[in-house]
């Protein structure tokens, strides 16, 4: 029995892809896969059910190991596990029943088995890998920072879209109202955020525009 038998073709393809990923890393082509490790922003309606989304993704991380390690490492472990389970499983079938499963059926079975096994293997692996320091910030950390009114005018009860830069240099787009109910914050004006209520920030104008931090 060889990896190139017709009933083992899904596992041969996975093995070839695994070798390609390894070679790409060795010869410096890993940047081709950079997009796979990019952060994905998911818009979740937390007001409707604040625990549903978190519970779902926690389950994915626990069972399948998604997000515990960089994507390329997770994919490599998955491909290796899928190949080994598939080839060994087909060999057992040939030895016991005299014939293997069709390639498509064997691939489905091996894939279903490989996902939880990959999750189990990546859990200890994640503890061995160095952890990157997160650059995520809480909304409260944006208070006392400058924000630029970008769209329209902000009045009391009518916030305007504004851009604020966090301590890591990353832009955030928030809704800003004037802290003074009688004030109007005009488009292009820079204000200091002094407090937050929910998703709305409140800003104060600079008496002298030269005092802004821009």
């Amino acid at each position: 029995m060889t990896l190139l038998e017709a009933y083992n073709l899904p596992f041969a393809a996975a093995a070839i892809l695994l070798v390609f990923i390894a070679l790409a890393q060795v010869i410096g082509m890993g940047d081709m896969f950079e997009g796979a490790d990019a952060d994905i922003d998911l818009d979740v309606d937390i007001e409707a059910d604040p625990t549903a989304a978190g519970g779902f993704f926690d389950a994915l991380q626990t069972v399948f190991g998604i997000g515990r390690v960089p994507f390329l490492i997770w994919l490599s472990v998955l491909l290796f596990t899928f190949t080994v389970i598939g080839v060994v499983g087909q060999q057992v079938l040939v030895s016991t029943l005299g014939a293997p499963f069709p390639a498509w059926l064997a691939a489905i079975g091996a894939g279903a088995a490989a996902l939880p096994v990959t999750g189990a293997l990546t859990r200890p692996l994640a503890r061995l890998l160095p952890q990157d320091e997160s650059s995520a910030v809480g909304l409260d950390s944006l208070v006392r920072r400058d924000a630029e009114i970008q769209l329209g005018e902000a009045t009391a009860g009518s916030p305007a879209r504004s851009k604020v830069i966090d301590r890591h240099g990353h832009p955030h787009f928030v809704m800003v109202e004037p802290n003074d109910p009688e004030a109007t914050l005009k488009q292009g004006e820079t204000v200091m955020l002094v407090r937050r209520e929910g998703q709305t920030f409140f800003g104060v104008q600079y008496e002298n525009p030269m005092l802004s931090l821009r």
Side-chain angles (χ1 to χ4, degrees):
M1 181 178 182
T2 69
L3 191 61
L4 297 182
E5 294 285 355
Y7 49 77
N8 276 336
L9 286 183
F11 314 119
I16 292 172
L17 180 56
L18 180 59
V19 171
F20 173 73
I21 291 174
L23 289 176
Q25 295 298 310
V26 169
I27 65 178
M29 294 173 58
D31 290 344
M32 293 171 55
F33 302 97
E34 257 186 24
D37 288 331
D39 292 334
I40 300 175
D41 293 328
L42 298 175
D43 293 327
V44 180
D45 185 4
I46 59 175
E47 292 184 0
D49 186 351
T51 61
F56 174 74
F57 290 110
D58 285 346
L60 283 182
Q61 289 183 334
T62 300
V63 178
F64 301 145
I66 297 175
R68 291 182 177 274
V69 295
F71 176 76
L72 275 184
I73 294 179
W74 180 86
L75 179 60
S76 299
V77 174
L78 176 64
L79 290 172
F80 176 78
T81 305
F82 174 75
T83 301
V84 171
I85 291 176
V87 172
V88 172
Q90 292 287 64
Q91 180 63 56
V92 170
L93 289 173
V94 169
S95 300
T96 56
L97 302 180
F101 280 161
W104 65 270
L105 184 58
I108 293 175
L115 281 170
V117 173
T118 299
L121 292 176
T122 54
R123 280 194 289 273
L125 185 59
R127 291 192 289 268
L128 298 177
L129 294 176
Q131 300 297 316
D132 294 332
E133 182 180 354
S134 173
S135 61
V137 299
L139 288 179
D140 285 336
S141 70
L142 301 180
V143 175
R144 309 301 296 180
R145 303 194 72 85
D146 281 2
E148 180 184 355
I149 308 299
Q150 289 206 315
L151 186 61
E153 294 185 346
T155 58
S158 180
R161 174 185 165 93
S162 307
K163 181 174 75 172
V164 56
I165 306 298
D166 67 24
R167 64 177 178 270
H168 300 290
H170 300 157
H172 298 262
F173 296 93
V174 298
M175 301 305 291
V176 176
E177 289 185 29
N179 192 56
D180 180 358
E182 304 298 325
T184 298
L185 307 180
K186 297 180 180 180
Q187 184 171 329
E189 187 173 4
T190 298
V191 300
M192 177 183 285
L193 303 180
V194 294
R195 62 188 178 94
R196 177 175 75 93
E197 292 183 4
Q199 299 299 310
T200 302
F201 288 82
F202 293 82
V204 297
Q205 297 164 302
Y206 284 96
E207 294 182 5
N208 184 343
M210 295 298 292
L211 294 176
S212 66
L213 299 181
R214 287 196 304 166

